PDB file of all heavy atoms in Angstrom:
ATOM      1  N   GLY B 515     -32.151  -7.793  17.765  1.00  0.00           N
ATOM      2  CA  GLY B 515     -32.675  -7.018  16.637  1.00  0.00           C
ATOM      3  C   GLY B 515     -31.594  -6.162  15.932  1.00  0.00           C
ATOM      4  O   GLY B 515     -31.805  -5.686  14.816  1.00  0.00           O
ATOM      5  N   ASP B 516     -30.475  -6.028  16.604  1.00  0.00           N
ATOM      6  CA  ASP B 516     -29.363  -5.243  15.990  1.00  0.00           C
ATOM      7  C   ASP B 516     -28.879  -5.895  14.674  1.00  0.00           C
ATOM      8  O   ASP B 516     -28.605  -5.154  13.741  1.00  0.00           O
ATOM      9  CB  ASP B 516     -28.172  -5.203  16.991  1.00  0.00           C
ATOM     10  CG  ASP B 516     -28.318  -4.026  17.926  1.00  0.00           C
ATOM     11  OD1 ASP B 516     -29.273  -3.270  17.767  1.00  0.00           O
ATOM     12  OD2 ASP B 516     -27.478  -3.934  18.851  1.00  0.00           O
ATOM     13  N   ILE B 517     -28.860  -7.180  14.620  1.00  0.00           N
ATOM     14  CA  ILE B 517     -28.377  -7.839  13.422  1.00  0.00           C
ATOM     15  C   ILE B 517     -29.303  -7.522  12.227  1.00  0.00           C
ATOM     16  O   ILE B 517     -28.868  -7.180  11.142  1.00  0.00           O
ATOM     17  CB  ILE B 517     -28.236  -9.353  13.613  1.00  0.00           C
ATOM     18  CG1 ILE B 517     -27.255  -9.677  14.745  1.00  0.00           C
ATOM     19  CG2 ILE B 517     -27.759 -10.045  12.315  1.00  0.00           C
ATOM     20  CD1 ILE B 517     -27.014 -11.151  15.008  1.00  0.00           C
ATOM     21  N   ASP B 518     -30.608  -7.615  12.499  1.00  0.00           N
ATOM     22  CA  ASP B 518     -31.598  -7.323  11.463  1.00  0.00           C
ATOM     23  C   ASP B 518     -31.446  -5.881  10.997  1.00  0.00           C
ATOM     24  O   ASP B 518     -31.540  -5.555   9.843  1.00  0.00           O
ATOM     25  CB  ASP B 518     -33.000  -7.557  11.929  1.00  0.00           C
ATOM     26  CG  ASP B 518     -33.186  -9.050  12.358  1.00  0.00           C
ATOM     27  OD1 ASP B 518     -32.443  -9.877  11.799  1.00  0.00           O
ATOM     28  OD2 ASP B 518     -34.015  -9.311  13.232  1.00  0.00           O
ATOM     29  N   LEU B 519     -31.270  -4.989  12.024  1.00  0.00           N
ATOM     30  CA  LEU B 519     -31.170  -3.595  11.695  1.00  0.00           C
ATOM     31  C   LEU B 519     -29.926  -3.338  10.824  1.00  0.00           C
ATOM     32  O   LEU B 519     -29.980  -2.582   9.865  1.00  0.00           O
ATOM     33  CB  LEU B 519     -31.066  -2.810  12.975  1.00  0.00           C
ATOM     34  CG  LEU B 519     -31.202  -1.294  12.958  1.00  0.00           C
ATOM     35  CD1 LEU B 519     -32.482  -0.894  12.274  1.00  0.00           C
ATOM     36  CD2 LEU B 519     -31.173  -0.702  14.358  1.00  0.00           C
ATOM     37  N   LEU B 520     -28.810  -3.979  11.153  1.00  0.00           N
ATOM     38  CA  LEU B 520     -27.582  -3.847  10.387  1.00  0.00           C
ATOM     39  C   LEU B 520     -27.844  -4.293   8.913  1.00  0.00           C
ATOM     40  O   LEU B 520     -27.439  -3.619   7.965  1.00  0.00           O
ATOM     41  CB  LEU B 520     -26.479  -4.686  10.976  1.00  0.00           C
ATOM     42  CG  LEU B 520     -25.744  -4.092  12.158  1.00  0.00           C
ATOM     43  CD1 LEU B 520     -24.763  -5.158  12.750  1.00  0.00           C
ATOM     44  CD2 LEU B 520     -24.961  -2.831  11.811  1.00  0.00           C
ATOM     45  N   GLU B 521     -28.544  -5.437   8.788  1.00  0.00           N
ATOM     46  CA  GLU B 521     -28.809  -5.937   7.442  1.00  0.00           C
ATOM     47  C   GLU B 521     -29.693  -4.972   6.632  1.00  0.00           C
ATOM     48  O   GLU B 521     -29.457  -4.761   5.463  1.00  0.00           O
ATOM     49  CB  GLU B 521     -29.452  -7.336   7.504  1.00  0.00           C
ATOM     50  CG  GLU B 521     -28.389  -8.395   7.864  1.00  0.00           C
ATOM     51  CD  GLU B 521     -28.970  -9.743   8.104  1.00  0.00           C
ATOM     52  OE1 GLU B 521     -30.143  -9.857   8.473  1.00  0.00           O
ATOM     53  OE2 GLU B 521     -28.263 -10.742   7.827  1.00  0.00           O
ATOM     54  N   GLU B 522     -30.652  -4.426   7.364  1.00  0.00           N
ATOM     55  CA  GLU B 522     -31.570  -3.508   6.652  1.00  0.00           C
ATOM     56  C   GLU B 522     -30.850  -2.246   6.228  1.00  0.00           C
ATOM     57  O   GLU B 522     -31.032  -1.819   5.083  1.00  0.00           O
ATOM     58  CB  GLU B 522     -32.701  -3.153   7.675  1.00  0.00           C
ATOM     59  CG  GLU B 522     -33.905  -2.438   7.037  1.00  0.00           C
ATOM     60  CD  GLU B 522     -34.849  -2.015   8.110  1.00  0.00           C
ATOM     61  OE1 GLU B 522     -34.996  -2.690   9.163  1.00  0.00           O
ATOM     62  OE2 GLU B 522     -35.564  -1.000   7.838  1.00  0.00           O
ATOM     63  N   LEU B 523     -30.031  -1.713   7.126  1.00  0.00           N
ATOM     64  CA  LEU B 523     -29.244  -0.542   6.755  1.00  0.00           C
ATOM     65  C   LEU B 523     -28.329  -0.798   5.593  1.00  0.00           C
ATOM     66  O   LEU B 523     -28.231  -0.012   4.602  1.00  0.00           O
ATOM     67  CB  LEU B 523     -28.429  -0.074   7.914  1.00  0.00           C
ATOM     68  CG  LEU B 523     -29.082   0.769   8.989  1.00  0.00           C
ATOM     69  CD1 LEU B 523     -28.211   0.845  10.241  1.00  0.00           C
ATOM     70  CD2 LEU B 523     -29.310   2.171   8.444  1.00  0.00           C
ATOM     71  N   ALA B 524     -27.693  -1.977   5.630  1.00  0.00           N
ATOM     72  CA  ALA B 524     -26.774  -2.363   4.570  1.00  0.00           C
ATOM     73  C   ALA B 524     -27.418  -2.371   3.201  1.00  0.00           C
ATOM     74  O   ALA B 524     -26.958  -1.889   2.206  1.00  0.00           O
ATOM     75  CB  ALA B 524     -26.135  -3.727   4.865  1.00  0.00           C
ATOM     76  N   GLU B 525     -28.608  -2.927   3.242  1.00  0.00           N
ATOM     77  CA  GLU B 525     -29.375  -3.070   1.949  1.00  0.00           C
ATOM     78  C   GLU B 525     -29.680  -1.654   1.414  1.00  0.00           C
ATOM     79  O   GLU B 525     -29.494  -1.419   0.217  1.00  0.00           O
ATOM     80  CB  GLU B 525     -30.694  -3.795   2.229  1.00  0.00           C
ATOM     81  CG  GLU B 525     -31.345  -4.421   1.029  1.00  0.00           C
ATOM     82  CD  GLU B 525     -32.582  -5.153   1.408  1.00  0.00           C
ATOM     83  OE1 GLU B 525     -32.640  -5.714   2.514  1.00  0.00           O
ATOM     84  OE2 GLU B 525     -33.561  -5.108   0.595  1.00  0.00           O
ATOM     85  N   THR B 526     -30.146  -0.765   2.260  1.00  0.00           N
ATOM     86  CA  THR B 526     -30.496   0.567   1.804  1.00  0.00           C
ATOM     87  C   THR B 526     -29.298   1.295   1.306  1.00  0.00           C
ATOM     88  O   THR B 526     -29.318   1.953   0.247  1.00  0.00           O
ATOM     89  CB  THR B 526     -31.136   1.329   2.987  1.00  0.00           C
ATOM     90  OG1 THR B 526     -32.153   0.562   3.580  1.00  0.00           O
ATOM     91  CG2 THR B 526     -31.740   2.629   2.493  1.00  0.00           C
ATOM     92  N   ILE B 527     -28.192   1.216   2.087  1.00  0.00           N
ATOM     93  CA  ILE B 527     -27.000   1.981   1.647  1.00  0.00           C
ATOM     94  C   ILE B 527     -26.537   1.502   0.294  1.00  0.00           C
ATOM     95  O   ILE B 527     -26.231   2.300  -0.573  1.00  0.00           O
ATOM     96  CB  ILE B 527     -25.861   1.882   2.719  1.00  0.00           C
ATOM     97  CG1 ILE B 527     -26.344   2.457   4.053  1.00  0.00           C
ATOM     98  CG2 ILE B 527     -24.619   2.566   2.217  1.00  0.00           C
ATOM     99  CD1 ILE B 527     -25.409   2.192   5.197  1.00  0.00           C
ATOM    100  N   SER B 528     -26.421   0.165   0.152  1.00  0.00           N
ATOM    101  CA  SER B 528     -25.859  -0.321  -1.107  1.00  0.00           C
ATOM    102  C   SER B 528     -26.720  -0.030  -2.295  1.00  0.00           C
ATOM    103  O   SER B 528     -26.340   0.085  -3.449  1.00  0.00           O
ATOM    104  CB  SER B 528     -25.454  -1.738  -1.006  1.00  0.00           C
ATOM    105  OG  SER B 528     -26.565  -2.538  -0.811  1.00  0.00           O
ATOM    106  N   ALA B 529     -28.046   0.110  -2.023  1.00  0.00           N
ATOM    107  CA  ALA B 529     -28.964   0.361  -3.134  1.00  0.00           C
ATOM    108  C   ALA B 529     -28.957   1.834  -3.506  1.00  0.00           C
ATOM    109  O   ALA B 529     -29.258   2.207  -4.648  1.00  0.00           O
ATOM    110  CB  ALA B 529     -30.369  -0.047  -2.747  1.00  0.00           C
ATOM    111  N   THR B 530     -28.642   2.737  -2.571  1.00  0.00           N
ATOM    112  CA  THR B 530     -28.900   4.138  -2.829  1.00  0.00           C
ATOM    113  C   THR B 530     -27.667   5.032  -2.818  1.00  0.00           C
ATOM    114  O   THR B 530     -27.720   6.201  -3.195  1.00  0.00           O
ATOM    115  CB  THR B 530     -29.834   4.719  -1.756  1.00  0.00           C
ATOM    116  OG1 THR B 530     -29.337   4.370  -0.458  1.00  0.00           O
ATOM    117  CG2 THR B 530     -31.252   4.172  -1.935  1.00  0.00           C
ATOM    118  N   ALA B 531     -26.529   4.490  -2.387  1.00  0.00           N
ATOM    119  CA  ALA B 531     -25.318   5.349  -2.346  1.00  0.00           C
ATOM    120  C   ALA B 531     -24.888   5.770  -3.711  1.00  0.00           C
ATOM    121  O   ALA B 531     -25.169   5.115  -4.726  1.00  0.00           O
ATOM    122  CB  ALA B 531     -24.175   4.635  -1.576  1.00  0.00           C
ATOM    123  N   LEU B 532     -24.164   6.869  -3.728  1.00  0.00           N
ATOM    124  CA  LEU B 532     -23.742   7.438  -5.021  1.00  0.00           C
ATOM    125  C   LEU B 532     -22.634   6.745  -5.756  1.00  0.00           C
ATOM    126  O   LEU B 532     -22.610   6.585  -6.952  1.00  0.00           O
ATOM    127  CB  LEU B 532     -23.355   8.931  -4.757  1.00  0.00           C
ATOM    128  CG  LEU B 532     -22.806   9.741  -5.930  1.00  0.00           C
ATOM    129  CD1 LEU B 532     -23.853   9.922  -6.988  1.00  0.00           C
ATOM    130  CD2 LEU B 532     -22.363  11.125  -5.403  1.00  0.00           C
ATOM    131  N   CYS B 533     -21.677   6.259  -4.958  1.00  0.00           N
ATOM    132  CA  CYS B 533     -20.514   5.603  -5.639  1.00  0.00           C
ATOM    133  C   CYS B 533     -20.136   4.301  -5.002  1.00  0.00           C
ATOM    134  O   CYS B 533     -20.774   3.857  -4.003  1.00  0.00           O
ATOM    135  CB  CYS B 533     -19.286   6.539  -5.586  1.00  0.00           C
ATOM    136  SG  CYS B 533     -18.434   6.533  -4.024  1.00  0.00           S
ATOM    137  N   GLY B 534     -19.154   3.714  -5.538  1.00  0.00           N
ATOM    138  CA  GLY B 534     -18.695   2.396  -5.132  1.00  0.00           C
ATOM    139  C   GLY B 534     -18.341   2.270  -3.679  1.00  0.00           C
ATOM    140  O   GLY B 534     -18.548   1.269  -3.037  1.00  0.00           O
ATOM    141  N   LEU B 535     -17.784   3.362  -3.124  1.00  0.00           N
ATOM    142  CA  LEU B 535     -17.400   3.335  -1.727  1.00  0.00           C
ATOM    143  C   LEU B 535     -18.640   3.047  -0.826  1.00  0.00           C
ATOM    144  O   LEU B 535     -18.604   2.168   0.021  1.00  0.00           O
ATOM    145  CB  LEU B 535     -16.782   4.649  -1.351  1.00  0.00           C
ATOM    146  CG  LEU B 535     -16.151   4.742   0.057  1.00  0.00           C
ATOM    147  CD1 LEU B 535     -14.988   5.695   0.070  1.00  0.00           C
ATOM    148  CD2 LEU B 535     -17.113   5.190   1.112  1.00  0.00           C
TER     149      LEU B 535
END
Side-chain angles (χ1 to χ4, degrees):
Chain B
D516 274 354
I517 300 181
D518 299 334
L519 192 54
L520 281 173
E521 285 176 330
E522 193 185 330
L523 277 166
E525 200 179 326
T526 311
I527 297 170
S528 63
T530 51
L532 176 62
C533 81
L535 186 149

